[in-house]
Amino acid sequence: MLRIDVVAMPLAVARVATILARRGFEMLTMDVAAPVDGLRRITIEVDTADEIRLAQLVKFLNRSLDVVKVVRLSDDRSHNRRGVFVSVGFPEGGLPEAVAIARAFSAEIVEAHRDRCTVFAAAEPARIDALVKALSGFTIRELVMAPPLRISRPLRKGCLAVDRTRTWGQQ
């Protein structure tokens, strides 16, 4: 997974995609954020386990004039979440079972009818996959999955320690 900050100029995203295509990398997901302070953030999940090839890709991207910064986001150094909407159909009277499955996965029922419902969840990709598998006993009418969202974790010791004994406003 790579996070790439590029200059918010026309065709900058296209040039990054071209670099990936020319080097033979297949993108599993690509998420492009709206420009903020003249920069656009691109998060790309590439299909490779070869560390040498990935390091070469980072070098190629850093050579591009559009690229400001490239950060590799590994599983152990980042938070990873994915969002999903699952529309399921079931026989009449099956709603309680669908609600029980959704609650077990901390998902929300955003729409419910006698014979169908829509479930929304945002969690780690493995948990999302487990939710979809649990709902596969019903008829899955539609499945909309967002690309993974990832953010770097601070690695400094004690950086975000939380004192649970205090409440807001106490000193």
Side-chain angles (χ1 to χ4, degrees), residues 4 6 11-21 30 42 44 61 67:
I4 307 163
V6 297
L11 300 177
V13 176
R15 283 191 276 272
V16 168
T18 302
I19 291 170
L20 289 161
M30 180 177 187
I42 305 170
I44 298 175
L61 288 168
V67 175

Side-chain angles (χ1 to χ4, degrees), residues 11-99:
L11 300 177
V13 176
R15 283 191 276 272
V16 168
T18 302
I19 291 170
L20 289 161
R22 276 193 208 147
R23 305 297 183 258
F25 284 92
E26 185 174 339
M27 288 184 283
L28 299 175
T29 62
M30 180 177 187
D31 183 47
V32 181
V36 175
D37 296 331
L39 293 178
R40 199 179 276 278
R41 180 163 284 174
I42 305 170
T43 306
I44 298 175
E45 186 177 7
V46 291
D47 187 22
T48 185
D50 186 3
E51 290 295 319
I52 295 171
R53 224 170 148 233
L54 198 56
Q56 288 175 339
L57 175 61
V58 170
K59 287 179 186 177
F60 286 129
L61 288 168
N62 279 323
R63 288 183 193 153
S64 174
L65 297 176
D66 298 317
V67 175
V68 176
K69 183 178 178 182
V70 179
V71 177
R72 289 177 61 186
L73 299 172
S74 62
D75 288 339
D76 59 333
R77 297 178 61 189
S78 63
H79 295 288
N80 186 11
R81 297 291 183 272
R82 174 170 253 165
V84 66
F85 282 101
V86 185
S87 180
V88 294
F90 41 76
E92 197 164 323
L95 181 60
E97 187 181 347
V99 170

